[in-house]
Amino acid sequence: LKYLAARCAAQHSSCVWSVGIMKLLCGVALAFGGAWAGRLRAQSGEGEETKMLSSALLGSKYGLGAGIVHKTEYWGSISVGTPAQEFTVIFDTGSGNLIIPLDSCNSRACNKHRKYKPSSSSTAARTTGNGDEHATITFGTGQVEGDFYKDNLCLGNSCAASSFIAATAETESPFAQTAFDGIMGLAFKDLSMGDGFNIVDDLANSHSLPKNVFSVYLADDGGSEIAFGGYRTENCASDILWAPVTRPSYWQGGMDDITF
C-alpha cells in the first residue's frame, strides 16, 4: 500500500504544491502549510495527546461479502465557536468546504445531529461567499442548503478563524443515516465557496502548525490516524518521494506504472 503526501512550500509570494508517494505498512497522507493532528480509529477510540495535537477520531466499517470488511468513512472531532461547540466531521479530500447543521435547520437529517448555534458564540458572524449569503451544494448523493458564517475553528488546541456553511436544509439521503454531524473538506481552493472558505488555506495562513503538512495513516488494527502538522516516521517503510500534484483541485498525482 502507499503513503501519499503533499507539501505547500512558500516561494516568494506564491505556494508550490507537490505530492509524494512513499511505501508504508498501510496508509495515505497529504500536505499543505500549517499544523494540527488527530487520530483515526477503525471503529472507535479514545483521544490521546501527541506532539502534533491529537484528538479522538472514529471510523465506520461496512461489510461486503462473507469475511470481507471495507472501511469507507473516517471521521473525528472539531470544535467551532467561543465557547467551543463540538462536532464530528468526515475528513473529505474530495470537497473544499466545512459544512455543519445550523440550529434553525429542522430537516430530519439535521435533527439527528448536533447543530451549530451562532447566538451562543461570541466570535460568530454572518459572511458572504462570492458575494452570496446562501449556497446550495449538490454531492454525488444528497444536497445541502445553507448560510455562510465565520467563526473560530479548532482541532485540539490549534485554532483559526474560518468561514463555513451552516446547513439550513439537508436531504434525508444520505445525511440522516450518517454517524457524523458534518463534512470538513480538505481539497483545494477551487472546490470551496470563495476566499476564506478553504480550511487547508486557513490552517496554512494561521501558522499554528509545526509543518505545512497533513497526513493520513490507515490500519486494520484500529490505529488509523490523521495528523495536521506532520506524520509519524514509525509508520513509514521508506523516505518520502515527492512528486507534483497533477490536478490542483483534488490531491491527485501522476502515475506512470504500478509494480507488484
Side-chain angles (χ1 to χ4, degrees):
L1 294 173
K2 300 293 184 180
Y3 189 100
L4 270 69
R7 175 181 55 189
C8 176
Q11 293 187 350
H12 306 294
S13 60
S14 63
C15 254
V16 176
W17 296 86
S18 59
V19 62
I21 299 177
M22 170 173 69
K23 293 180 181 178
L24 252 202
L25 300 177
C26 178
V28 175
L30 308 170
F32 60 100
W36 294 352
R39 286 190 69 79
L40 290 167
R41 298 290 181 175
Q43 187 67 18
S44 63
E46 298 299 325
E48 59 184 60
E49 290 300 319
T50 72
K51 294 180 180 179
M52 296 177 289
L53 302 175
S54 290
S55 61
L57 300 182
L58 308 175
S60 68
K61 288 184 177 181
Y62 295 96
L64 296 176
I68 300 176
V69 176
H70 297 275
K71 301 180 183 68
T72 60
E73 299 169 353
Y74 288 87
W75 64 93
S77 297
I78 66 168
S79 63
V80 178
T82 308
Q85 302 174 40
E86 187 170 307
F87 301 92
T88 55
V89 294
I90 187 170
F91 294 96
D92 179 22
T93 55
S95 66
N97 299 289
L98 171 63
I99 304 173
I100 53 177
L102 186 63
D103 58 353
S104 62
C105 179
N106 290 315
S107 64
R108 181 170 177 266
C110 288
N111 289 335
K112 293 191 66 175
H113 298 102
R114 282 170 284 193
K115 302 180 185 181
Y116 170 62
K117 300 178 181 179
S119 60
S120 298
S121 173
S122 62
T123 49
R126 288 294 301 271
T127 188
T128 59
N130 293 326
D132 297 320
E133 295 183 349
H134 313 278
T136 298
I137 298 180
T138 301
F139 296 92
T141 54
Q143 182 174 285
V144 171
E145 298 177 16
D147 298 333
F148 297 142
Y149 281 85
K150 186 172 186 177
D151 209 338
N152 202 38
L153 166 66
C154 295
L155 278 170
N157 295 322
S158 293
C159 304
S162 299
S163 297
F164 57 93
I165 299 169
T168 56
E170 296 180 343
T171 55
E172 184 168 332
S173 177
F175 299 107
Q177 288 78 44
T178 60
F180 46 85
D181 302 314
I183 301 168
M184 184 170 172
L186 296 176
F188 283 70
K189 181 179 178 180
D190 66 328
L191 296 183
S192 301
M193 293 308 303
D195 292 337
F197 281 82
N198 188 267
I199 302 301
V200 170
D201 287 347
D202 290 343
L203 294 179
N205 295 333
S206 70
H207 304 292
S208 60
L209 303 177
K211 293 181 180 179
N212 295 335
V213 173
F214 73 89
S215 60
V216 180
Y217 174 72
L218 306 179
D220 288 329
D221 61 2
S224 300
E225 176 182 81
I226 185 168
F228 293 84
Y231 57 89
R232 296 180 185 275
T233 56
E234 60 266 31
N235 290 336
C236 304
S238 71
D239 294 333
I240 296 178
L241 174 64
W242 297 100
V245 168
T246 59
R247 183 182 177 187
S249 290
Y250 308 98
W251 293 98
Q252 177 178 305
M255 185 177 295
D256 296 325
D257 195 8
I258 299 176
T259 301
F260 296 94

PDB file of all heavy atoms in Angstrom, residues 167-187:
ATOM      1  N   ALA A 167     -25.700  24.516   7.558  1.00  0.00           N
ATOM      2  CA  ALA A 167     -26.779  23.960   6.758  1.00  0.00           C
ATOM      3  C   ALA A 167     -28.150  24.328   7.313  1.00  0.00           C
ATOM      4  O   ALA A 167     -28.435  24.127   8.484  1.00  0.00           O
ATOM      5  CB  ALA A 167     -26.648  22.446   6.682  1.00  0.00           C
ATOM      6  N   THR A 168     -29.011  24.864   6.446  1.00  0.00           N
ATOM      7  CA  THR A 168     -30.398  25.154   6.800  1.00  0.00           C
ATOM      8  C   THR A 168     -31.341  24.052   6.327  1.00  0.00           C
ATOM      9  O   THR A 168     -32.491  23.987   6.744  1.00  0.00           O
ATOM     10  CB  THR A 168     -30.839  26.486   6.187  1.00  0.00           C
ATOM     11  OG1 THR A 168     -30.636  26.442   4.764  1.00  0.00           O
ATOM     12  CG2 THR A 168     -30.015  27.638   6.772  1.00  0.00           C
ATOM     13  N   ALA A 169     -30.840  23.185   5.437  1.00  0.00           N
ATOM     14  CA  ALA A 169     -31.622  22.041   4.958  1.00  0.00           C
ATOM     15  C   ALA A 169     -30.660  20.986   4.435  1.00  0.00           C
ATOM     16  O   ALA A 169     -29.666  21.309   3.771  1.00  0.00           O
ATOM     17  CB  ALA A 169     -32.600  22.460   3.863  1.00  0.00           C
ATOM     18  N   GLU A 170     -30.943  19.726   4.746  1.00  0.00           N
ATOM     19  CA  GLU A 170     -30.157  18.598   4.253  1.00  0.00           C
ATOM     20  C   GLU A 170     -31.103  17.505   3.784  1.00  0.00           C
ATOM     21  O   GLU A 170     -32.128  17.247   4.418  1.00  0.00           O
ATOM     22  CB  GLU A 170     -29.249  18.034   5.355  1.00  0.00           C
ATOM     23  CG  GLU A 170     -28.184  18.999   5.852  1.00  0.00           C
ATOM     24  CD  GLU A 170     -27.325  18.382   6.948  1.00  0.00           C
ATOM     25  OE1 GLU A 170     -27.749  17.352   7.541  1.00  0.00           O
ATOM     26  OE2 GLU A 170     -26.241  18.928   7.224  1.00  0.00           O
ATOM     27  N   THR A 171     -30.781  16.889   2.670  1.00  0.00           N
ATOM     28  CA  THR A 171     -31.614  15.788   2.193  1.00  0.00           C
ATOM     29  C   THR A 171     -31.491  14.599   3.140  1.00  0.00           C
ATOM     30  O   THR A 171     -30.443  14.381   3.759  1.00  0.00           O
ATOM     31  CB  THR A 171     -31.200  15.354   0.776  1.00  0.00           C
ATOM     32  OG1 THR A 171     -29.807  15.028   0.770  1.00  0.00           O
ATOM     33  CG2 THR A 171     -31.473  16.468  -0.221  1.00  0.00           C
ATOM     34  N   GLU A 172     -32.588  13.850   3.256  1.00  0.00           N
ATOM     35  CA  GLU A 172     -32.586  12.713   4.170  1.00  0.00           C
ATOM     36  C   GLU A 172     -31.550  11.676   3.775  1.00  0.00           C
ATOM     37  O   GLU A 172     -30.896  11.082   4.643  1.00  0.00           O
ATOM     38  CB  GLU A 172     -33.980  12.091   4.222  1.00  0.00           C
ATOM     39  CG  GLU A 172     -34.103  10.961   5.231  1.00  0.00           C
ATOM     40  CD  GLU A 172     -35.545  10.560   5.472  1.00  0.00           C
ATOM     41  OE1 GLU A 172     -36.428  11.426   5.307  1.00  0.00           O
ATOM     42  OE2 GLU A 172     -35.777   9.396   5.827  1.00  0.00           O
ATOM     43  N   SER A 173     -31.416  11.458   2.476  1.00  0.00           N
ATOM     44  CA  SER A 173     -30.392  10.532   1.989  1.00  0.00           C
ATOM     45  C   SER A 173     -29.231  11.342   1.411  1.00  0.00           C
ATOM     46  O   SER A 173     -29.424  12.200   0.547  1.00  0.00           O
ATOM     47  CB  SER A 173     -30.979   9.621   0.907  1.00  0.00           C
ATOM     48  OG  SER A 173     -29.996   8.761   0.374  1.00  0.00           O
ATOM     49  N   PRO A 174     -28.020  11.161   1.913  1.00  0.00           N
ATOM     50  CA  PRO A 174     -27.619  10.147   2.885  1.00  0.00           C
ATOM     51  C   PRO A 174     -27.469  10.666   4.309  1.00  0.00           C
ATOM     52  O   PRO A 174     -27.106   9.920   5.201  1.00  0.00           O
ATOM     53  CB  PRO A 174     -26.240   9.743   2.351  1.00  0.00           C
ATOM     54  CG  PRO A 174     -25.665  11.050   1.887  1.00  0.00           C
ATOM     55  CD  PRO A 174     -26.840  11.829   1.313  1.00  0.00           C
ATOM     56  N   PHE A 175     -27.740  11.970   4.530  1.00  0.00           N
ATOM     57  CA  PHE A 175     -27.294  12.618   5.768  1.00  0.00           C
ATOM     58  C   PHE A 175     -28.035  12.145   7.015  1.00  0.00           C
ATOM     59  O   PHE A 175     -27.492  12.200   8.123  1.00  0.00           O
ATOM     60  CB  PHE A 175     -27.389  14.142   5.622  1.00  0.00           C
ATOM     61  CG  PHE A 175     -26.527  14.674   4.520  1.00  0.00           C
ATOM     62  CD1 PHE A 175     -27.082  15.123   3.335  1.00  0.00           C
ATOM     63  CD2 PHE A 175     -25.149  14.697   4.645  1.00  0.00           C
ATOM     64  CE1 PHE A 175     -26.284  15.600   2.305  1.00  0.00           C
ATOM     65  CE2 PHE A 175     -24.341  15.171   3.631  1.00  0.00           C
ATOM     66  CZ  PHE A 175     -24.913  15.612   2.450  1.00  0.00           C
ATOM     67  N   ALA A 176     -29.265  11.661   6.866  1.00  0.00           N
ATOM     68  CA  ALA A 176     -29.971  11.147   8.037  1.00  0.00           C
ATOM     69  C   ALA A 176     -29.366   9.833   8.518  1.00  0.00           C
ATOM     70  O   ALA A 176     -29.571   9.437   9.672  1.00  0.00           O
ATOM     71  CB  ALA A 176     -31.455  10.954   7.716  1.00  0.00           C
ATOM     72  N   GLN A 177     -28.606   9.171   7.651  1.00  0.00           N
ATOM     73  CA  GLN A 177     -28.014   7.883   8.018  1.00  0.00           C
ATOM     74  C   GLN A 177     -26.564   7.999   8.470  1.00  0.00           C
ATOM     75  O   GLN A 177     -25.981   7.025   8.937  1.00  0.00           O
ATOM     76  CB  GLN A 177     -28.067   6.918   6.830  1.00  0.00           C
ATOM     77  CG  GLN A 177     -29.468   6.387   6.505  1.00  0.00           C
ATOM     78  CD  GLN A 177     -30.325   7.390   5.762  1.00  0.00           C
ATOM     79  OE1 GLN A 177     -29.841   8.027   4.839  1.00  0.00           O
ATOM     80  NE2 GLN A 177     -31.574   7.534   6.152  1.00  0.00           N
ATOM     81  N   THR A 178     -25.952   9.179   8.349  1.00  0.00           N
ATOM     82  CA  THR A 178     -24.541   9.310   8.695  1.00  0.00           C
ATOM     83  C   THR A 178     -24.350   9.408  10.203  1.00  0.00           C
ATOM     84  O   THR A 178     -25.172   9.977  10.914  1.00  0.00           O
ATOM     85  CB  THR A 178     -23.920  10.554   8.041  1.00  0.00           C
ATOM     86  OG1 THR A 178     -24.607  11.727   8.498  1.00  0.00           O
ATOM     87  CG2 THR A 178     -24.021  10.453   6.525  1.00  0.00           C
ATOM     88  N   ALA A 179     -23.229   8.866  10.671  1.00  0.00           N
ATOM     89  CA  ALA A 179     -22.912   8.919  12.098  1.00  0.00           C
ATOM     90  C   ALA A 179     -22.254  10.245  12.474  1.00  0.00           C
ATOM     91  O   ALA A 179     -22.222  10.610  13.648  1.00  0.00           O
ATOM     92  CB  ALA A 179     -21.992   7.758  12.473  1.00  0.00           C
ATOM     93  N   PHE A 180     -21.731  10.970  11.509  1.00  0.00           N
ATOM     94  CA  PHE A 180     -21.045  12.241  11.769  1.00  0.00           C
ATOM     95  C   PHE A 180     -21.990  13.412  11.537  1.00  0.00           C
ATOM     96  O   PHE A 180     -22.963  13.319  10.796  1.00  0.00           O
ATOM     97  CB  PHE A 180     -19.805  12.365  10.873  1.00  0.00           C
ATOM     98  CG  PHE A 180     -20.040  12.005   9.435  1.00  0.00           C
ATOM     99  CD1 PHE A 180     -20.529  12.939   8.533  1.00  0.00           C
ATOM    100  CD2 PHE A 180     -19.795  10.713   8.987  1.00  0.00           C
ATOM    101  CE1 PHE A 180     -20.762  12.596   7.212  1.00  0.00           C
ATOM    102  CE2 PHE A 180     -20.013  10.372   7.660  1.00  0.00           C
ATOM    103  CZ  PHE A 180     -20.504  11.307   6.769  1.00  0.00           C
ATOM    104  N   ASP A 181     -21.664  14.561  12.173  1.00  0.00           N
ATOM    105  CA  ASP A 181     -22.522  15.743  12.080  1.00  0.00           C
ATOM    106  C   ASP A 181     -22.326  16.509  10.784  1.00  0.00           C
ATOM    107  O   ASP A 181     -23.289  17.062  10.231  1.00  0.00           O
ATOM    108  CB  ASP A 181     -22.239  16.693  13.252  1.00  0.00           C
ATOM    109  CG  ASP A 181     -22.439  16.032  14.600  1.00  0.00           C
ATOM    110  OD1 ASP A 181     -23.471  15.356  14.774  1.00  0.00           O
ATOM    111  OD2 ASP A 181     -21.562  16.183  15.479  1.00  0.00           O
ATOM    112  N   GLY A 182     -21.087  16.594  10.303  1.00  0.00           N
ATOM    113  CA  GLY A 182     -20.818  17.436   9.146  1.00  0.00           C
ATOM    114  C   GLY A 182     -19.671  16.935   8.302  1.00  0.00           C
ATOM    115  O   GLY A 182     -19.188  15.811   8.462  1.00  0.00           O
ATOM    116  N   ILE A 183     -19.219  17.806   7.388  1.00  0.00           N
ATOM    117  CA  ILE A 183     -18.172  17.485   6.428  1.00  0.00           C
ATOM    118  C   ILE A 183     -17.084  18.542   6.526  1.00  0.00           C
ATOM    119  O   ILE A 183     -17.373  19.740   6.515  1.00  0.00           O
ATOM    120  CB  ILE A 183     -18.720  17.460   4.991  1.00  0.00           C
ATOM    121  CG1 ILE A 183     -19.838  16.432   4.864  1.00  0.00           C
ATOM    122  CG2 ILE A 183     -17.607  17.171   3.976  1.00  0.00           C
ATOM    123  CD1 ILE A 183     -20.624  16.559   3.573  1.00  0.00           C
ATOM    124  N   MET A 184     -15.835  18.101   6.630  1.00  0.00           N
ATOM    125  CA  MET A 184     -14.706  19.026   6.620  1.00  0.00           C
ATOM    126  C   MET A 184     -13.910  18.777   5.348  1.00  0.00           C
ATOM    127  O   MET A 184     -13.155  17.820   5.241  1.00  0.00           O
ATOM    128  CB  MET A 184     -13.814  18.835   7.841  1.00  0.00           C
ATOM    129  CG  MET A 184     -12.675  19.835   7.938  1.00  0.00           C
ATOM    130  SD  MET A 184     -11.850  19.744   9.529  1.00  0.00           S
ATOM    131  CE  MET A 184     -10.456  20.824   9.235  1.00  0.00           C
ATOM    132  N   GLY A 185     -14.111  19.643   4.353  1.00  0.00           N
ATOM    133  CA  GLY A 185     -13.446  19.479   3.073  1.00  0.00           C
ATOM    134  C   GLY A 185     -11.980  19.873   3.146  1.00  0.00           C
ATOM    135  O   GLY A 185     -11.642  20.937   3.677  1.00  0.00           O
ATOM    136  N   LEU A 186     -11.116  19.031   2.605  1.00  0.00           N
ATOM    137  CA  LEU A 186      -9.668  19.268   2.623  1.00  0.00           C
ATOM    138  C   LEU A 186      -9.095  19.378   1.220  1.00  0.00           C
ATOM    139  O   LEU A 186      -7.882  19.238   1.029  1.00  0.00           O
ATOM    140  CB  LEU A 186      -8.959  18.144   3.393  1.00  0.00           C
ATOM    141  CG  LEU A 186      -9.310  18.026   4.878  1.00  0.00           C
ATOM    142  CD1 LEU A 186      -8.615  16.805   5.485  1.00  0.00           C
ATOM    143  CD2 LEU A 186      -8.915  19.287   5.638  1.00  0.00           C
ATOM    144  N   ALA A 187      -9.954  19.640   0.231  1.00  0.00           N
ATOM    145  CA  ALA A 187      -9.481  19.786  -1.142  1.00  0.00           C
ATOM    146  C   ALA A 187      -8.986  21.210  -1.377  1.00  0.00           C
ATOM    147  O   ALA A 187      -8.922  22.032  -0.463  1.00  0.00           O
ATOM    148  CB  ALA A 187     -10.602  19.427  -2.119  1.00  0.00           C
TER     149      ALA A 187
END
